[in-house]
Amino acid sequence: MRPGYAINELVREFGVTPRTLRFYEDKGILAPQRRAKVRHYSERDRTRLKLTLRGKRLGLSLEECTEVIDMYEPGQANDTPQLLHLCEKIRQHRSLLIEKMRDIEDTLKAMDEVERSCLEKLLANTAG
Amino acid sequence: MRPGYAINELVREFGVTPRTLRFYEDKGILAPQRRAKVRHYSERDRTRLKLTLRGKRLGLSLEECTEVIDMYEPGQANDTPQLLHLCEKIRQHRSLLIEKMRDIEDTLKAMDEVERSCLEKLLANTAG
DNA sequence: TCTACAGTTTACGTAAACGTAAATAAGCAA
DNA sequence: TTGCTTATTTACGTTTACGTAAACTGTAGA
């Protein structure tokens, strides 16, 4: 039994349903081997799943997730035009991520404000 | 003409369609006044729209967005149980945001790696 | 060998977030 | 007032990302 994962192992580890894994397979995100119809996921599958779920948490669509994953697995992009194209895609995704970062920072600041005034009111309540 | 916004002003400013604004109205996110059937959006509407779109960029559903917005507009939450509940919601949302933050940082690091190896290859190409 | 059970396939269903088309109404310019 | 443009309403359509039910299969244990 080579290192690999049954469907239910990934299901438990990542808190998704089997349906989700099969759906991702349909979409070409995962490509488990079969031993008599039964799926066996590789380390690479697990990584791609992890990256996909991370992308989803950031609001990416599955298609965008695969785009990002494809950037991580440049495979054989060795000629100059392809490398330049990859660089450009990286630049774009990075600026999107930085925008999200700013969004989060702004939201966190605002929430700190709300919490502060909330605590003040609570203090006033216990004092009164 | 009091300070306010026509539907097309918001449409242009935020790059959404009128349909989106009407949809958000249906969902109770926006509540423009009417002058003979025509919508006029207030400053508050504009702010709520802005916060909604920010939330969407972070992968929140519209329902989650309204939850967050409601936190910003605590209105009259003055009794202790409500204030405590608000504090708890803040705590939860904050931890979600921090998780997203980490996701972004991890992704950025990985992308930096990919870019570096990409630039190396490019350099090798021009050198060869 | 029987069976319980985990996994698979097929296919229709669903919720969210709008898109789009058609008919109607309102505002504005000449 | 006519004509054009913009806004509104109604309602069905669409995409994404799965959920869910039904029927089948493979396999490990009693």
Side-chain angles (χ1 to χ4, degrees):
Chain A
M1 209 176 261
R2 289 147 281 181
Y5 306 91
I7 193 164
N8 254 342
E9 293 181 290
L10 293 184
V11 160
R12 269 190 295 272
E13 178 175 0
F14 292 102
V16 296
T17 69
R19 179 69 174 100
T20 299
L21 297 185
R22 297 190 190 115
F23 184 74
Y24 289 180
E25 186 176 347
D26 258 29
K27 294 291 162 182
I29 297 172
L30 305 178
Q33 289 177 33
R34 302 299 187 100
R35 300 187 210 169
K37 282 206 164 196
V38 177
R39 292 169 172 82
H40 287 265
Y41 295 89
S42 66
E43 201 56 61
R44 177 165 178 270
D45 285 319
R46 203 193 81 110
T47 300
R48 291 176 66 90
L49 175 59
K50 194 174 179 177
L51 293 175
T52 301
L53 297 176
R54 179 198 279 171
K56 287 210 61 191
R57 283 197 298 272
L58 296 177
L60 304 189
S61 69
L62 289 182
E63 208 174 317
E64 292 171 315
C65 287
T66 35
E67 248 198 277
V68 174
I69 293 177
D70 287 347
M71 291 172 37
Y72 288 148
E73 294 177 344
Q76 267 69 264
N78 282 324
D79 63 286
T80 303
Q82 279 190 22
L83 288 170
L84 287 174
H85 184 243
L86 178 54
C87 273
E88 178 55 20
K89 286 208 306 186
I90 290 176
R91 226 183 46 76
Q92 284 174 23
H93 272 287
R94 177 153 42 210
S95 75
L96 277 181
L97 287 175
I98 289 175
E99 187 196 19
K100 283 178 201 292
M101 197 92 132
R102 268 198 296 270
D103 284 335
I104 291 177
E105 286 167 356
D106 293 347
T107 308
L108 281 175
K109 274 180 202 163
M111 279 180 30
D112 285 351
E113 262 307 295
V114 174
E115 189 185 35
R116 207 184 45 77
S117 90
C118 192
L119 292 176
E120 267 177 25
K121 285 185 189 175
L122 274 172
L123 199 63
N125 280 3
T126 56
Chain B
M1 208 175 263
R2 288 147 281 180
Y5 306 90
I7 193 165
N8 253 344
E9 294 182 288
L10 292 185
V11 160
R12 269 190 294 273
E13 178 175 0
F14 292 102
V16 296
T17 68
R19 179 69 173 99
T20 299
L21 297 184
R22 297 192 189 113
F23 183 74
Y24 288 0
E25 186 177 347
D26 258 28
K27 294 291 161 182
I29 298 171
L30 306 178
Q33 288 178 35
R34 302 299 187 100
R35 300 186 210 170
K37 283 206 165 198
V38 176
R39 291 169 173 83
H40 288 264
Y41 295 89
S42 67
E43 201 56 59
R44 177 166 177 271
D45 285 319
R46 203 192 81 109
T47 300
R48 292 175 67 91
L49 175 58
K50 193 174 180 176
L51 293 175
T52 301
L53 297 177
R54 179 198 280 171
K56 287 211 61 191
R57 283 197 298 273
L58 296 178
L60 304 190
S61 69
L62 289 181
E63 209 174 315
E64 291 171 315
C65 287
T66 35
E67 247 198 278
V68 174
I69 293 176
D70 287 347
M71 290 171 38
Y72 288 148
E73 293 176 344
Q76 267 69 264
N78 282 323
D79 64 285
T80 302
Q82 279 190 21
L83 287 170
L84 287 175
H85 183 243
L86 178 54
C87 274
E88 178 56 20
K89 286 209 306 186
I90 290 176
R91 224 184 48 74
Q92 285 174 23
H93 272 286
R94 177 152 42 209
S95 74
L96 277 180
L97 287 175
I98 289 175
E99 187 196 18
K100 284 179 201 290
M101 196 90 134
R102 267 197 297 271
D103 284 336
I104 292 178
E105 286 167 356
D106 292 347
T107 309
L108 281 176
K109 274 181 204 165
M111 278 180 32
D112 285 351
E113 262 308 294
V114 175
E115 189 187 35
R116 205 184 48 76
S117 90
C118 192
L119 291 176
E120 267 177 24
K121 285 186 189 174
L122 275 171
L123 197 64
N125 280 3
T126 55

